[in-house]
Amino acid sequence: MRIRIVDAFTDRPFSGAPAGVVVLEARAEDAFPENAWMQRVAAEVNHAETAFLHPLPPGSGADWALRWFTPAVEVALCGHATLAAAHVLRAAGPVRFTTRSGILTAAPGPDGMLTMDFPTAPLTPVEADPALAAALGTEILAVHHTGPNTDDLLVEVADEKTVRAIVPDLRALVPLSRRGVIVTAAAGEAAYDFVSRFFGPAVGVDEDPVTGSAHTALTPYWAARLGRDDMTGYQASPRGGLVRVALRGDRTEISGHAVTVIDGELHA
């Protein structure tokens, strides 16, 4: 079967967030291959996420069934691998995916981008754990829990310079969040509105290059602080990527480009 490596949230190869995409033959909605096989493929691909999808018959309520695996575990929601999957399908109109996080859609957007419709993450303020500040090596301004689909900690720090300079103690972060830790601050440059990084050692991803699903929490967080619903975020990983977002009540639109860099065959 074919397997692609797609760089998401970028319009040029070797940047943005790479994801594996495996398109399977048509089958019943719950009839994916064995979890152990998909997990082994994801570990072999060894990118932050690998998407597995198969077409559904008419009347299923969606067009494709979609699941995501890191090199270590299955996750309930992933943005960049969904963007990568939609890019591979090259549909002329909206595509509906059934997932553990409900129905997600992706559709052609402006300037060659794809726009995804995701559930907005609820934010719950929590007390900052001193161990979290120690693991990040910086002062924390605020902490929120995101959930239920993402189950991250969203941490605001002083400024963009602080976000970019963080060198976390990854081992110390593992017990502090079920999925990952989003570190964010208001932008220091006019090209975007806020900046972030994502650390997920608990799920086998030390630092995710660009985390679309984290923007389901970053969008309502910064919309409330900046007073606008349409924004651009920059994820300041070494590869980096721009994420255009729009808050639409209980849904968040997430837009970006994608580029296929590898198209090959999976033999195992």
Side-chain angles (χ1 to χ4, degrees):
M1 65 189 70
R2 291 175 72 181
I3 183 168
R4 284 91 155 182
I5 305 298
V6 176
D7 289 344
F9 295 112
T10 181
D11 59 1
R12 53 192 174 86
F14 314 121
S15 60
V21 179
V22 179
V23 180
L24 305 162
E25 295 179 353
R27 56 187 68 205
E29 181 174 339
D30 59 351
F32 278 90
E34 291 185 359
N35 286 0
W37 179 83
M38 292 189 288
Q39 190 64 75
R40 287 194 296 270
V41 172
E44 184 75 13
V45 171
N46 202 32
H47 287 313
E49 303 283 353
T50 297
F52 298 85
L53 64 156
H54 66 76
L56 295 172
S60 301
D63 306 303
W64 295 80
L66 174 63
R67 293 170 68 180
W68 313 273
F69 288 77
T70 79
V73 298
E74 184 177 8
V75 296
L77 184 65
C78 178
H80 81 273
T82 304
L83 184 67
H87 169 76
V88 164
L89 295 177
R90 299 184 181 277
V95 177
R96 299 166 298 166
F97 300 101
T98 183
T99 75
R100 287 174 54 183
S101 295
I103 299 295
L104 310 177
T105 64
D111 302 321
M113 290 188 293
L114 289 163
T115 296
M116 302 179 293
D117 181 291
F118 276 29
T120 300
L123 301 174
T124 304
V126 296
E127 185 176 350
D129 187 334
L132 180 59
L136 294 174
T138 190
E139 181 180 353
I140 290 173
L141 301 184
V143 182
H144 289 72
H145 176 260
T146 78
N149 297 317
T150 49
D151 208 2
D152 299 322
L153 291 179
L154 190 156
V155 179
E156 184 181 359
V157 297
D159 51 31
E160 179 174 339
K161 182 178 178 181
T162 301
V163 172
R164 291 179 177 271
I166 284 175
V167 181
D169 181 339
L170 294 169
R171 181 175 296 182
L173 282 181
V174 170
L176 298 176
S177 174
R178 294 189 63 180
R179 189 181 80 151
V181 176
I182 309 162
V183 182
T184 187
E189 300 186 19
Y192 39 88
D193 299 292
F194 58 86
V195 64
S196 67
R197 291 172 69 189
F198 182 93
F199 305 102
V203 294
V205 181
D206 288 350
E207 180 169 6
D208 194 17
V210 190
T211 315
S213 60
H215 287 75
T216 64
L218 287 162
T219 302
Y221 187 82
W222 286 110
R225 281 152 181 76
L226 300 177
R228 54 183 179 274
D229 293 338
D230 295 74
M231 299 171 291
T232 299
Y234 180 72
Q235 193 151 332
S237 68
R239 291 173 65 104
L242 285 171
V243 184
R244 290 173 175 81
V245 297
L247 183 62
R248 302 291 183 254
D250 63 355
R251 308 294 294 184
T252 295
E253 294 179 355
I254 302 170
S255 301
H257 293 93
V259 181
T260 300
V261 294
I262 296 175
D263 188 342
E265 292 185 4
L266 181 63
H267 292 282

